[in-house]
Amino acid sequence: LQTDTDVVVLTTGVLVLITMLPMIPQSGKQYLHDFFGIFGRLSAWCLQNPGHVAEIYLVHLHASVYALFHRLYGMYPCNFVSFLRSHYSMKENVETFEEVVKPMMEHVRIHPELVTGSKDHELDPRR
């Protein structure tokens, strides 16, 4: 997911990741920044289409990236929002934020952990 360029493999891989994350919440935390990086890469892919793939494949990829957004926001809201803030504040990522990520954010409510939790509490094994 970090380097592949086949949109079918990427879409399938994201769907597998979404399925596996709730099963490995503590084991997966060491790869959290990798998961966030995958989200960032595939969000940009949805906008730029570097592989010049057919529109139907992009629709499926976008839907799977949207599902990944919901999974990461639901499980790790503080860490994910921190990633979004840092990643999309860079000038080269602003267009991807405006066109792909911001519309995703407009369809979720504020997560209670953003108010009552912290990035460290979110990764606590007792949680």
Side-chain angles (χ1 to χ4, degrees):
L1 291 175
Q2 293 175 330
T3 59
D4 206 300
T5 57
D6 183 346
V7 72
V8 175
V9 172
L10 292 170
T11 302
T12 304
V14 169
L15 294 175
V16 169
L17 178 61
I18 293 165
T19 304
M20 296 297 293
L21 271 173
M23 296 176 204
I24 56 164
Q26 286 304 312
S27 303
K29 73 179 183 183
Q30 63 189 355
Y31 302 108
L32 203 53
H33 293 289
D34 293 332
F35 300 153
F36 295 160
I38 290 166
F39 174 81
R41 175 179 185 252
L42 296 181
S43 295
W45 183 291
C46 288
L47 179 66
Q48 298 163 357
N49 190 8
H52 306 289
V53 298
E55 186 70 25
I56 188 69
Y57 292 121
L58 282 180
V59 169
H60 285 91
L61 179 63
H62 188 269
S64 63
V65 170
Y66 187 60
L68 180 61
F69 170 84
H70 276 277
R71 179 71 73 207
L72 293 172
Y73 182 71
M75 290 182 68
Y76 308 103
C78 297
N79 284 282
F80 190 50
V81 168
S82 176
F83 163 78
L84 294 174
R85 206 177 272 126
S86 67
H87 185 73
Y88 292 107
S89 66
M90 292 184 267
K91 186 173 71 169
E92 64 269 16
N93 298 326
V94 170
E95 184 181 10
T96 302
F97 177 77
E98 290 294 327
E99 296 295 323
V100 179
V101 180
K102 188 175 179 182
M104 292 179 190
M105 295 180 75
E106 291 172 351
H107 294 283
V108 295
R109 292 182 177 188
I110 187 168
H111 197 290
E113 285 292 316
L114 293 173
V115 176
T116 61
S118 70
K119 288 172 45 175
D120 295 330
H121 175 260
E122 214 168 69
L123 301 177
D124 189 345
R126 293 173 284 161
R127 180 173 173 253

